[in-house]
């Protein structure tokens, strides 16, 4: 007769195997399907600029990168009279406010008048609150969001203007891609998560019409956002929350991805920062799950996909318990052969995902004209399992915080890794480069949590 420990091992093994297989299938949904990829690419020609845009740029403690981001948004290839850029900062963040004011003075001397700084001094101090402050002052037909370290493509507004008008769309999600794949031991795997998510998996979500939107390069018509009441200021993943609510409202969400036109970002600079970022995302998904808006999705497959996506932190946290326990049981206990075989299933699936990631690395490098260090694929294989433990620990930490009612915003520090000089240019955009991120000081680490 099976013991409780053996029963747990069998159930956990089967659950993790099913989850891994399903995750791999949607991760590769649009990967080798040329028709699916073609439908989601940027149009070959751009229509005349007609829509006006409000660009929301919430920032906190971003002195190192904010001025460069403002300049890149000002330089977008779109008529300035149709663009409003709002930078939103909490009033006590004097360092970022000073950096922004310096940049504004420089822009005003150059005749740029479509950029404003907004501040707020009431809680909560977080991104969705800043977005709502910006929404109240927005004048554009379309609202979009950029993060403080973003490198958007110069043609992004022209692209969205074209697609929204031609297809009569209300919501468009464009691609986002981490770029500094060689900075830290976990960077390549972090980069590839984005690569698979935006290039493939989100297209499956769009097909089902249950899309947890990404954090930036989202374009939503102003009237739609106002009718939705803006963003939930108490949610740690306001992007996923608004995506679910838009899906419940029956609005199709167009996912547009083209390697040439992604918004480029950087990976978190330390393990501590990475864990806190993933904790925030996982806890936000649990918050959206608990809000139960997803239960009002009209189709069963939409509700099932929503539940799987939002409850995923629970499955991920299970890995933190499962792997050490299964290894210990295999090494020190005499298990019946069927149970021993079943307990290895999740490890086989992890192996298949590793292979997919290595293949993805070479494709990522090819489309972005990058050179892969010779030892990187081997390094990826060695750190793949530790990386899964990082993800599982972050998920476990999110569950713990959710049960304790801790809802403070743990900010991710940005170092400007994309803006440091390096010999590796990317594609036809020579001002973007890959460089090693600087090491954070103890003071920065001590002040990162808000």
């Amino acid at each position: 007769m099976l013991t409780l420990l053996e029963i747990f091992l069998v159930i956990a093994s089967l659950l993790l195997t099913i989850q891994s297989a399903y995750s791999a299938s949607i991760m590769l949904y649009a990967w080798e399907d040329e028709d699916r990829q073609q439908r989601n690419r940027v149009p070959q020609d751009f229509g005349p600029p007609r829509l006006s845009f409000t660009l929301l740029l919430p920032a906190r403690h971003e002195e190192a990168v904010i001025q460069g981001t403002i300049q890149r948004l000002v330089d977008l290839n779109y008529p300035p009279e149709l663009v409003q850029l709002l930078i939103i900062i909490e009033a006590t963040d004097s360092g970022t406010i000073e950096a922004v004011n310096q940049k504004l003075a420089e822009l005003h001397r150059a005749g740029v008048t479509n950029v404003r700084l907004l501040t707020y001094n009431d809680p909560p101090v977080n991104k969705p609150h800043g977005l709502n402050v910006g929404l109240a002052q927005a004048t554009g037909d379309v609202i979009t969001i950029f993060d403080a370290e973003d490198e958007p493509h110069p043609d992004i507004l022209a692209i969205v203007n074209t697609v929204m008008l031609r297809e009569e769309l209300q919501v468009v999600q464009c691609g986002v891609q981490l770029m500094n794949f060689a900075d830290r031991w976990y960077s390549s795997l972090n980069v590839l998560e984005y690569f698979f998510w935006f290039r493939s998996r989100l297209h499956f979500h769009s097909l089902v019409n249950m899309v947890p939107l990404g954090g930036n390069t989202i374009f939503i018509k102003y009237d739609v956002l106002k009718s939705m009441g803006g963003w939930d200021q108490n949610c740690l993943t306001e992007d996923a929350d608004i995506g679910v609510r838009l899906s419940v409202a029956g609005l199709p969400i167009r996912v547009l991805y083209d390697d040439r036109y992604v918004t480029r970002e950087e990976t978190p600079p330390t393990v501590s920062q990475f864990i806190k970022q993933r904790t925030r995302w996982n806890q936000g998904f649990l918050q959206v799950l608990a809000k139960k808006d997803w239960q009002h999705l009209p189709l069963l497959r939409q509700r099932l996909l929503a539940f799987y996506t939002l409850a995923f932190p629970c499955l991920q946290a299970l890995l933190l318990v499962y792997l050490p326990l299964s290894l210990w049981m295999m090494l020190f206990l005499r298990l019946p052969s069927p149970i021993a075989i079943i307990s290895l299933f999740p490890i086989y699936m992890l192996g298949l995902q590793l292979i997919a990631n290595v293949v993805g690395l070479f494709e990522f490098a090819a489309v972005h004209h990058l050179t892969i260090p010779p030892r990187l694929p081997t390094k990826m294989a060695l750190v793949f399992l530790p990386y899964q433990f990082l993800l599982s620990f972050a998920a476990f930490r999110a569950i713990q915080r959710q049960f304790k009612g801790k809802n403070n915003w743990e900010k991710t520090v940005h170092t400007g890794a994309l803006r440091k000089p390096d010999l590796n240019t990317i594609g036809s955009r020579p001002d973007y480069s890959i460089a090693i991120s600087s090491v954070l000081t103890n003071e920065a680490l001590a002040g990162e949590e808000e």
Side-chain angles (χ1 to χ4, degrees):
M1 188 170 180
L2 296 180
T3 66
L4 288 177
L5 201 58
E6 290 171 342
I7 292 172
F8 168 81
L9 186 61
V10 169
I11 295 174
S13 299
L14 293 175
L15 281 175
L16 288 171
T17 301
I18 294 169
Q19 177 273 317
S20 295
Y22 180 68
S23 179
S25 68
I26 59 178
M27 182 178 81
L28 300 172
Y29 166 74
W31 202 254
E32 296 300 335
D33 190 313
E34 186 61 29
D35 289 338
R36 290 171 180 170
Q37 290 189 24
Q38 191 63 41
R39 285 197 300 270
N40 297 306
R41 288 190 181 132
V42 166
Q44 295 298 312
D45 61 295
F46 302 156
R50 292 176 182 166
L51 294 174
S52 60
F53 290 84
T54 293
L55 283 53
L56 302 182
L57 181 60
R60 181 164 172 79
H61 300 317
E62 299 289 6
E63 299 93 324
V65 297
I66 191 67
Q67 292 188 354
T69 303
I70 293 171
Q71 187 63 57
R72 281 161 175 79
L73 295 178
V74 168
D75 290 341
L76 294 178
N77 295 335
Y78 205 74
E81 64 272 16
L82 294 178
V83 178
Q84 176 194 36
L85 172 55
L86 300 178
I87 306 146
I88 310 108
I89 305 174
E90 194 271 330
T92 64
D93 185 5
S94 57
T96 309
I97 290 174
E98 181 181 358
V100 170
N101 280 328
Q102 290 174 358
K103 188 63 181 178
L104 289 179
E106 174 189 326
L107 292 172
H108 289 162
R109 288 193 296 270
V112 177
T113 59
N114 61 339
V115 185
R116 288 178 56 197
L117 169 63
L118 304 177
T119 61
Y120 65 95
N121 55 16
D122 54 321
V125 180
N126 59 28
K127 180 179 176 180
H129 188 178
L131 294 177
N132 284 332
V133 170
L135 182 62
Q137 301 294 320
T139 59
D141 301 319
V142 180
I143 310 298
T144 188
I145 306 159
F146 291 102
D147 289 339
E149 86 281 17
D150 281 355
E151 300 276 7
H153 191 278
D155 291 329
I156 191 65
L157 299 185
I159 291 166
V160 175
N161 170 76
T162 301
V163 173
M164 276 192 159
L165 290 176
R166 287 180 182 174
E167 301 181 24
E168 299 181 349
L169 297 170
Q170 305 292 312
V171 187
V172 174
Q173 167 76 71
C174 293
V176 181
Q177 182 58 60
L178 304 180
M179 296 303 302
N180 51 329
F181 68 98
D183 278 10
R184 300 288 184 267
W185 65 265
Y186 54 85
S187 294
S188 58
L189 293 167
N190 194 193
V191 164
L192 289 169
E193 279 188 283
Y194 273 64
F195 195 47
F196 284 107
W197 179 267
F198 284 96
R199 198 170 193 250
S200 186
R201 177 168 171 171
L202 268 188
H203 302 304
F204 176 76
H205 282 271
S206 179
L207 174 71
V208 179
N209 200 26
M210 200 302 293
V211 184
L213 291 170
N216 64 73
T217 324
I218 307 164
F219 297 83
I220 307 175
K221 289 287 186 69
Y222 173 85
D223 293 340
V224 170
L225 260 180
K226 290 294 287 186
S227 69
M228 302 293 293
W231 290 271
D232 184 347
Q233 295 181 178
N234 296 309
C235 185
L236 294 173
T237 51
E238 80 295 331
D239 46 358
D241 174 67
I242 196 74
V244 169
R245 287 192 282 139
L246 289 167
S247 300
V248 170
L251 291 173
I253 298 176
R254 177 77 150 85
V255 176
L256 193 67
Y257 186 91
D258 192 312
D259 296 299
R260 299 167 297 172
Y261 296 99
V262 293
T263 293
R264 303 172 186 235
E265 292 189 343
E266 62 187 60
T267 61
T270 67
V271 169
S272 171
Q273 287 287 303
F274 177 81
I275 289 174
K276 290 186 176 184
Q277 181 193 69
R278 287 310 175 92
T279 297
R280 185 176 76 244
W281 293 359
N282 285 320
Q283 189 177 358
F285 272 35
L286 294 174
Q287 289 174 331
V288 179
L289 179 70
K291 286 178 66 174
K292 300 181 180 179
D293 289 332
W294 60 273
Q295 293 183 0
H296 301 292
L297 289 163
L299 301 178
L300 177 60
R301 66 173 183 168
Q302 291 176 303
R303 296 192 294 274
L304 290 175
L305 180 59
F307 180 79
Y308 170 78
T309 303
L310 299 174
F312 185 72
C314 299
L315 282 172
Q316 206 162 41
L318 181 62
L319 189 65
L320 195 67
V321 178
Y322 168 81
L323 276 180
L325 178 62
S326 62
L327 290 173
W328 177 79
M329 292 181 70
M330 284 187 290
L331 291 173
F332 298 104
L333 293 182
R334 294 178 60 86
L335 294 174
S337 297
I339 295 178
I341 293 171
I342 290 172
S343 67
L344 291 174
F345 286 174
I347 297 176
Y348 296 149
M349 293 306 305
L350 285 176
L352 290 174
Q353 290 193 17
L354 171 60
I355 293 171
N357 273 270
V358 172
V359 174
L361 175 67
F362 282 94
E363 187 157 352
F364 164 80
V367 297
H368 292 290
H369 309 288
L370 298 171
T371 301
I372 301 175
R375 297 180 181 178
L376 187 57
T378 302
K379 181 180 177 181
M380 278 179 55
L382 293 175
V383 303
F384 187 76
L385 198 56
Y387 185 74
Q388 305 309 312
F389 272 106
L390 278 189
L391 296 176
S392 297
F393 177 74
F396 178 81
R397 186 169 179 261
I399 295 170
Q400 186 180 47
R401 281 172 55 89
Q402 184 70 2
F403 272 113
K404 290 182 177 180
K406 296 181 68 175
N407 197 34
N408 61 304
W409 188 277
E410 294 185 315
K411 183 190 177 302
T412 304
V413 172
H414 303 120
T415 63
L418 294 177
R419 300 172 189 172
K420 297 177 182 178
D422 189 85
L423 297 177
N424 295 322
T425 57
I426 302 174
S428 59
R429 300 157 66 187
D431 57 321
Y432 297 135
S433 59
I434 301 298
I436 297 177
S437 303
S438 60
V439 179
L440 295 178
T441 62
N442 290 332
E443 289 79 11
L445 284 172
E448 69 190 5
E449 185 168 327
E450 302 171 26

